[in-house]
């Protein structure tokens, strides 16, 4: 049962966003997405009995950039959100590497069993992955239509 709820919490807000986007436009889809992400974090907290760090940080960024997009009636803020989130994740992991505390180990330690060298390798790869995603998002939203970006 918990795994079904986790799947719904993970996919639900995106499903809400896509449903609204396909029926309206980006600006109209932002508010339902923001509401769905708040509900998802609350449900995750209720089910897990702890504050989910990554989803909460992501939700905070979504609320800030989604709110700015709605307030200024400009979707550029919302399009920049994935870039900011990915760069924050990369920076957080990079700081962990710098201070010799592989943060990825704290996030995934219950899921993966690796030695220190393995955590260092996977952390470097995730840093590269997040940076690549940020660059890709910037290229796509600046050169393609909103439909392609979405």
């Amino acid at each position: 049962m918990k795994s079904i709820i986790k799947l719904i919490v993970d996919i639900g807000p995106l499903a809400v966003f896509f449903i609204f986007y396909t029926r309206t436009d980006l600006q109209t889809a932002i508010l339902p997405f923001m509401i769905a992400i708040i509900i998802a974090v609350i449900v995750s907290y209720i089910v897990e009995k702890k504050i989910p760090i990554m989803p909460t940080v992501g939700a905070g960024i979504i609320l800030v950039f989604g709110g700015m997009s709605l307030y200024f009636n400009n979707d550029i803020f919302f399009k920049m959100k994935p870039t900011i989130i990915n760069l924050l994740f990369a920076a957080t992991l990079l700081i962990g590497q710098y201070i010799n505390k592989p943060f990825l180990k704290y996030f995934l330690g219950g899921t993966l069993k690796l030695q220190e060298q393995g955590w260092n390798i996977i952390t470097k790869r995730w840093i590269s992955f997040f940076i690549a995603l940020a660059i890709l998002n910037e290229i796509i939203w600046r050169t393609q239509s909103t439909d392609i970006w979405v």
Side-chain angles (χ1 to χ4, degrees), residues 44-94:
S44 183
Y45 173 74
I46 291 169
V47 170
E48 298 293 325
K49 306 285 191 265
K50 63 180 182 175
I51 297 173
I53 295 170
M54 299 298 267
T56 303
V57 170
I61 293 169
I62 288 167
L63 294 176
V64 168
F65 283 87
M68 289 171 58
S69 292
L70 294 175
Y71 181 78
F72 294 111
N73 196 27
N74 188 339
D75 61 2
I76 288 175
F77 296 106
F78 196 72
K79 290 178 179 178
M80 289 173 55
K81 173 196 60 71
T83 301
I84 302 298
I85 288 175
N86 286 312
L87 289 177
L88 280 174
F89 289 162
T92 300
L93 294 176
L94 197 58

Side-chain angles (χ1 to χ4, degrees), residues 9 13 32-46:
V9 164
F33 180 55
M34 292 168 61
I35 293 168
I37 202 80
I38 291 169
I39 292 168
V41 169
I42 291 169
V43 168
S44 183
Y45 173 74
I46 291 169

Side-chain angles (χ1 to χ4, degrees), residues 7 10 13 17 36 48 54 88 119 130:
L7 181 67
D10 289 345
F17 173 77
E48 298 293 325
M54 299 298 267
L88 280 174
W119 284 114
F130 285 131

